[in-house]
Structure formats: C-alpha cells, structure tokens
Amino acid sequence: MHYRRFGKTNLPLSVFSLGTMRCLASAEVAYETVVAAIAQGINHLETARGYGNSELYLGAALQAGLPQPRSRLYITTKLPPMADASQMDRSIDESLTRLGLDYIDALAIHGVNTWEHLDWLKAEQGCMAAVHRAIVDGRVRHVGFSTHGSLELILATITTDQFEFVNLHYYYFFQRHAPAVALAHQKDMGVFIISPADKGGMLYTPPATLETLCHPLSPLDLNSRWLLSDPRITTLSVGAANPAELARPLAMADHTEPLSPDEIAILDRLHTHLTQTLGTDRCSQCYDCLPCPESIQIPEVLRLRNLAIAYEMTQFGQYRYRMFENAGHWFPGNKANRCNDCGDCLPRCPESLDIPTLLRDAHERLHGQPGRRLWG
C-alpha cells in the first residue's frame, strides 16, 4: 500500500480508503471488513450520517479493537449542509457519539449539490460557524466537502477557501471535473475520488467489448491506474460490502507510478474506438447545450449514450439514466423523453449534433424501471 499527503491536512492517507456505505449486512460483517482493510494497509475509514447504520457499525468496530491503534487511523464522517449552525453543532456531537470518538480526523460537508447549499456554507450563522467552533475545541481536526453538483458549483465552493479537501466524481469515463482537480491541487487541497468502480462505470462487471479493449488490464485496474498515476489525487474509495471485495481493487495499491507506454496505448485504443464507433453522433461533452428549457441534463444523457454504443456499457447507462427524476439534487435532471423539439440547444452545439434525435435514441436504449440512490 502506498500513502500520499492529503493536501493541507498533512494526513498521510493510504491511496485506497474504505468507504463503509455498503458494510451494512451486520455489525459483525462491518467489523470483519474494517479489520481486513486495515490488515491490507488501509488507514482511512470513511462513513456518513446518511449511510444507514454505518457510523454505528464503524464505531462498534473501533471500540472492539483493530489491528492499528486509533492514533494511526484516520476517520472521516460526512454531514449534510445545513442552514443553521446549532443544528450542525448537534449533528457533530451525535456523530461523535455514534462513532464512540472524542474527535473526527476529517469532517466532510456531504452533498454540496446546489447553489443554496453554497449560500448556507457562506452564511455568517450557517453550518460552517459550528464546524469552525468544533475545529477550535478539537472535536473536528480537518474539514472538506463532497459534491454531486455541477462543475461551476464545485469550483465556486473550492474558491471559498473554507475547505482542506474535496470528495469528487472523476474517472477515465467521466473527466468533466478535471478543472476541479486542478484547482484543488492549486489550493493544496486533498482530492478523494469517490465510487471509482461503481459510478466510474460499474467496472466490477464490465461488458465484453470493454474488457477486450482494455486487455491485458481489466477495466477496473485501468481506471485505478489512470487515477493513481496522477499525483494530484490522494486516495480512491473502495466500497467493499465484505472482506472478499477488497482483493480486486487493492491489487493496484502499489502501482502509483506514471502510466507505462502499454497503458497509454490502451487509452489511445479506447479513444479511437469511441471516435470511430460514434462517428458524427459523438457528443464531446462541451456542455454548451445547457441550460435546457425542459431541464434535461443533455450532456450526461449523451455521455451515457456514448458509453452504451462505443463500449456496450448499456447496463451502466441504464443504472444511471433511471436515476433521473428519482434522486433529487443528488442526480438532477429530467429524462430525455421530455424533449419537445424546441431546438433551443441546436445553435449552441459546436458539433451540429441533432440533439433531439440523439436524446430520443438515448431514452429508447436506457429507460427502464425508475432507480434511486441507495440512501435517499
């Protein structure tokens, strides 16, 4: 296991972190998973108030005794943005109680997803007033934020200079947030990549076409290598539900070197295949088509279409697409069948795509039973 400095927090985090959202079968399974992760070199354990019993199970594991002392483990929990400082103050104390701790190494404001959330963070008596008090009195040592918001919102939140780290969606198959990684690095913030296997493309169960294109690496390993070869990125989450699910991602824990010529050749092969397969229907993700009068998240819909057609990542596309209209600010936007052919987006597309036709095709490929976030 390699370790990297988590930005200005100066915490030496393992390049893989255990995210405990899925360690929920029982307190016993959670304990076994935490023990196995620590035994394999992980020193950063992440939970959140919104993850069911996760804080309680992690707290029980900490109290039961682990292979490393508390002083050599780094615990992050996450609390949602709040308009009221007193509510945040109570929530911090409740999380400490659930975890059985007297301090949290890192507190992340969980889900800075809307401009209203950012207003709460900037308000004089908003939740950050309580966080700052908790840092002064030692209950919290470092503060950051997680986000499912737009790039513009993420950049604006980083620019407040209130945070020491950021939890981001950023993967080979979703590079929209590259400017956020660059800005966070410029400001010496730690960068924690969340859900690289699942939201990064359901890479545990890749389609045959994607496996062939990535050979001799697996798509999961290629994505890990692409991320870990970037020294600006500190750590990647592993959302293991049990100890057995740690083995595959952690196979890359010592491979943080720059990409090899062979790995670069695989990436070139993926890009060439995408370009050739989609031809003139390829959306390059410039986002100039937004805003849509019908609140369709056009670039994301067309990204999922790109992946489904080029790499046969249809199952992943369906999984994400079904969350539109069902996950609130965690995955905003309407489904593509809301398009009424108004044409508002057409003159803004630098590639002159027939966007309404592509949206209808994407809906036919990807719609199905509604989905939702694991934690509402």
Side-chain angles (χ1 to χ4, degrees):
M1 180 67 69
H2 283 212
Y3 301 83
R4 286 178 173 171
R5 174 179 171 271
F6 196 34
K8 66 185 73 173
T9 73
N10 287 315
L11 300 177
L13 298 192
S14 47
V15 295
F16 284 95
S17 297
L18 179 65
T20 60
M21 183 175 75
R22 297 178 62 241
C23 297
L24 295 168
S26 67
E28 181 181 7
V29 171
Y31 176 76
E32 292 169 354
T33 306
V34 169
V35 168
I38 294 171
Q40 293 175 72
I42 286 177
N43 68 357
H44 181 217
L45 310 173
E46 186 227 26
T47 182
R49 176 63 56 82
Y51 295 168
N53 288 322
S54 176
E55 281 186 332
L56 291 171
Y57 286 172
L58 179 55
L62 292 167
Q63 302 312 308
L66 295 172
Q68 292 285 0
R70 166 71 178 100
S71 60
R72 297 182 64 181
L73 296 173
Y74 304 106
I75 312 299
T76 292
T77 196
K78 306 193 293 291
L79 293 168
M82 303 172 191
D84 179 60
S86 61
Q87 183 183 4
M88 176 60 79
D89 192 65
R90 289 192 299 272
S91 293
I92 291 170
D93 285 341
E94 288 166 2
S95 284
L96 287 168
T97 298
R98 288 159 67 93
L99 289 163
L101 298 175
D102 54 8
Y103 71 91
I104 301 164
D105 297 278
L107 173 68
I109 307 301
H110 189 198
V112 181
N113 299 338
T114 71
W115 292 99
E116 182 181 34
H117 293 158
L118 180 57
D119 288 341
W120 293 349
L121 301 183
K122 294 159 67 175
E124 185 174 346
Q125 290 303 314
C127 57
M128 291 305 292
V131 173
H132 295 151
R133 287 196 295 269
I135 291 173
V136 170
D137 66 31
R139 287 175 293 157
V140 171
R141 295 195 170 174
H142 303 284
V143 62
F145 72 98
S146 73
T147 178
H148 294 230
S150 68
L151 174 61
E152 295 75 16
L153 176 64
I154 296 169
L155 296 176
T157 307
I158 292 173
T159 304
T160 65
D161 293 323
Q162 295 197 77
F163 300 103
E164 298 169 272
F165 64 90
V166 58
N167 299 3
L168 277 179
H169 292 287
Y170 175 67
Y171 328 107
Y172 175 74
F173 293 113
F174 179 72
Q175 299 183 33
R176 171 67 174 169
H177 292 161
V181 173
L183 183 60
H185 177 69
Q186 177 187 323
K187 291 183 174 290
D188 196 24
M189 294 172 65
V191 177
F192 179 12
I193 302 301
I194 49 180
S195 196
D198 183 52
K199 306 302 189 300
M202 289 178 65
L203 300 178
Y204 283 109
T205 54
T209 294
L210 186 60
E211 283 192 295
T212 299
L213 288 166
C214 293
H215 185 78
L217 291 181
S218 70
L220 177 66
D221 288 350
L222 181 67
N223 188 54
S224 294
R225 283 288 297 121
W226 185 80
L227 291 165
L228 291 176
S229 68
D230 187 339
R232 302 172 302 174
I233 291 169
T234 309
T235 186
L236 318 181
S237 71
V238 178
N242 56 63
E245 292 186 359
L246 291 166
R248 287 186 61 192
L250 296 190
M252 291 292 107
D254 289 330
H255 295 282
T256 60
E257 67 276 8
L259 292 172
S260 70
D262 288 344
E263 290 167 334
I264 293 171
I266 294 172
L267 297 175
D268 289 342
R269 186 162 68 234
L270 285 166
H271 178 73
T272 298
H273 185 80
L274 177 78
T275 302
Q276 292 178 346
T277 304
L278 288 160
T280 57
D281 285 347
R282 173 176 170 261
C283 171
S284 64
Q285 300 288 283
C286 69
Y287 279 62
D288 289 352
C289 55
L290 296 181
C292 168
E294 298 302 319
S295 298
I296 300 167
Q297 188 67 13
I298 298 170
E300 180 63 6
V301 172
L302 297 188
R303 180 181 78 94
L304 297 176
R305 181 184 183 274
N306 283 354
L307 297 178
I309 293 174
Y311 306 131
E312 295 184 356
M313 295 171 69
T314 303
Q315 184 180 7
F316 170 68
Q318 291 173 340
Y319 154 54
R320 297 301 284 166
Y321 185 79
R322 289 195 296 262
M323 292 179 67
F324 285 123
E325 305 180 25
N326 289 288
H329 59 71
W330 294 96
F331 199 68
N334 287 329
K335 290 185 169 67
N337 63 335
R338 304 277 187 172
C339 177
N340 62 9
D341 294 290
C342 72
D344 188 73
C345 56
L346 295 176
R348 299 200 299 271
C349 178
E351 295 157 319
S352 300
L353 297 177
D354 184 355
I355 292 174
T357 297
L358 296 179
L359 289 176
R360 282 190 286 272
D361 180 74
H363 183 75
E364 287 301 313
R365 292 175 186 273
L366 303 175
H367 81 95
Q369 293 298 315
R372 58 182 290 272
R373 294 184 70 249
L374 181 59
W375 303 111

